[in-house]
Amino acid sequence: MSFIAKKAGSISPSSTLAIDSKFKSMKAQGLDVVGFGAGEPDFDTPQHIKEAAIAAIMEGKTKYTPASGTLELKEAICRKLMRDNGLCYKPENIVVSNGAKHSLVNVFMAICDPGDEVIIPAPYWVSYPEMVKLADGVPVILTTTEENGFKFSIEDLEAAITPKTRAIVINSPSNPTGMIYTKEELAKIASVAVKNNIYVVSDEIYEHLAYGEKPVSIASLGDEIRDLTIIVNGVSKTYAMTGWRIGYTASKADIAKAMSNVQSHATSNPNTIAQVAAVCALDGPMETIDMMRAAFEERRNYMVERMNSIEGVSCLMPGGAFYVMMNIKKLFGREIAGCKIETSDDFANAFLEKAKVAVVPGSGFGAEGYVRWSYATSMENIKEGLDRLEKFLAE
Ligand code: PMP
Ligand code: GLU
């Protein structure tokens, strides 16, 4: 056995990516498998963005850029923050990274000293606790319930705060629940953050995928909270650009500087060609986003209605993102297709093995008793997956 450092040894793999790669390898073997694993838009990157990247290559924009991103992209991000969020930032507030995942790692590296606590409401996106651990911080999980729409109460938040609390993570719309905080709820969170002088890491990557009221950025609620907020966003979900790997942060300039310094040693600049493409995406037309949002909404409505009509499972109507958390608690203790179901992992394994449908167990999201379905896939797949669910549960 090789020596593995304690920190690396304590990190669990990303369950979303693990399910996705299992699904892809089953598919490559020719198996008739349907995937609801990774949250990745099934639409192609819009043509005008691809053309901008091809032009960048032909024009020789193929060299290193400043570690924290090009001035052109930082300016485009500032224009986006003003246009969509009414926020005025300067290029010195922006750091561009290799995806919002990388941005988040930089954030925790920049703000956590060893032992500093970061409050993470559960269900959470799988990577947050592991990222905090990588930065020698301590994830403090704030449990929420389905009855409360997967939202925590202000009393619970205040009770979780200790002298070691450095930050709270909010993700609205949420992966995996699709929950969206209202402006009033954000104002309350902001006042607690300001009172206790803690950072708010606001992951806004699904901001354009909301099917009712538009999500609000907590940073827009006043100067004090804006100074404490580190906005995380990227082009992966909005522009169907998951493989291009461009994410960014907006924060106070000194935090941006610290993140940029970390990044300058870890990865240098994000891909130069992808940065040119991201400028084109951010400054470009919004019609393709509207088209994707409308398709996601139709799929969400179908999935939720069907799921709630199937005996033994249920789900809430998510307000945004492209995930549904299916409650499977009633199935616990049952044997389905010869498999005993005691946990969300048991369900996900049996469902994949016997019905050839890939979903992500709730365990990785701090949500035992649930599995996550992504509806960023075709209506045909969604119908097939739910037909298979119905058949599987009838066994
Ligand atoms: N935040 C959340 C909540 C996500 O679901 C994702 C999905 N990958 C990310 C951040 C990171 O996205 P990316 O690294 O592709 O920009
Ligand atoms: N964020 C997406 C998901 O939750 C993509 C996979 C990942 O980066 O974890 O499925």
Side-chain angles (χ1 to χ4, degrees), residues 85 87 186 202 204 215-221 229 231:
N85 314 101
L87 285 163
L186 289 173
S202 181
E204 303 178 5
V216 172
S217 173
I218 194 166
S220 66
L221 300 183
T229 302
I231 294 179

Side-chain angles (χ1 to χ4, degrees), residues 39 98-102 104 125 128 131 171 173-175 203 205-206 232-237 241-243 245-247 323 372:
N98 300 284
K101 196 176 253 185
H102 183 209
L104 283 155
W125 178 44
Y128 297 140
M131 290 165 163
N171 174 213
S174 151
N175 175 4
D203 183 342
I205 197 147
Y206 295 101
V232 178
N233 208 329
V235 295
S236 283
K237 315 288 171 175
M241 290 177 72
T242 45
R245 312 307 305 129
I246 295 291
Y323 308 104
R372 190 193 79 175

Side-chain angles (χ1 to χ4, degrees), residues 182-262:
T182 63
K183 192 171 174 185
E184 293 68 35
E185 287 161 344
L186 289 173
K188 287 187 190 152
I189 298 169
S191 74
V192 173
V194 169
K195 191 170 100 197
N196 293 279
N197 194 31
I198 57 179
Y199 291 122
V200 176
V201 179
S202 181
D203 183 342
E204 303 178 5
I205 197 147
Y206 295 101
E207 69 166 326
H208 286 294
L209 298 177
Y211 312 108
E213 215 173 303
K214 266 182 75 181
V216 172
S217 173
I218 194 166
S220 66
L221 300 183
D223 291 347
E224 281 178 304
I225 188 61
R226 184 197 126 122
D227 281 353
L228 285 170
T229 302
I230 304 162
I231 294 179
V232 178
N233 208 329
V235 295
S236 283
K237 315 288 171 175
T238 307
Y239 301 98
M241 290 177 72
T242 45
W244 299 70
R245 312 307 305 129
I246 295 291
Y248 57 86
T249 53
S251 66
K252 275 185 75 181
D254 50 359
I255 303 174
K257 183 93 182 73
M259 287 192 280
S260 168
N261 291 346
V262 169

